[in-house]
Amino acid sequence: MPQIRFVQPSGAAEVVDVPAGTSVMLAAIRNGVRGIEAECGGCLDCATCHVYVDEASLAALPPLGDQEEAVLAAVAAERRPTSRLGCQVIAPAGTMTLTVHVPERQL
Ligand code: FES
């Protein structure tokens, strides 16, 4: 079962086990992870599920889609090369641990 490791701006981290195919956003909401707002519920319309994907994890993910790229222009925190929307980042099958960093703010 894949895991998602959430790292808060303070450095505190928590790891959650998720079924393959679960988005980072849903994993955060279902497990009470702070800092992921997800106001649109995953409709690719709010940019409040912004995360910074760890460099090592980024290589295992499909590239940004055009709509995700467009919505990322509206993130509240600094946009970085590793920025992704949590609702679009899906935990792949297998035992990998996907590490994401939660930004300082979403609004
Ligand atoms: Fe709104 Fe991801 S939850 S864009």
Side-chain angles (χ1 to χ4, degrees):
M1 179 176 278
Q3 295 181 318
I4 301 176
R5 179 170 176 260
F6 292 92
V7 183
Q8 295 292 332
S10 67
E14 55 193 304
V15 177
V16 298
D17 295 317
V18 297
T22 303
S23 72
V24 166
M25 179 276 280
L26 277 179
I29 298 301
R30 289 176 179 161
N31 291 281
V33 174
R34 288 176 294 115
I36 306 292
E37 303 294 333
E39 287 187 337
C40 77
C43 295
L44 208 47
D45 195 39
C46 73
T48 62
C49 60
H50 180 204
V51 293
Y52 303 118
V53 179
D54 188 77
E55 297 271 356
S57 298
L58 199 60
L61 300 177
L64 279 171
D66 290 345
Q67 195 172 352
E68 183 180 3
E69 177 79 49
V71 175
L72 277 168
V75 294
E78 175 191 5
R79 166 103 189 255
R80 300 177 185 167
T82 58
S83 289
R84 296 293 300 260
L85 295 176
C87 64
Q88 302 303 304
V89 176
I90 305 300
T95 56
M96 85 171 282
T97 299
L98 187 62
T99 298
V100 299
H101 297 261
V102 178
E104 292 279 353
R105 60 194 181 100
Q106 296 284 2
L107 301 169

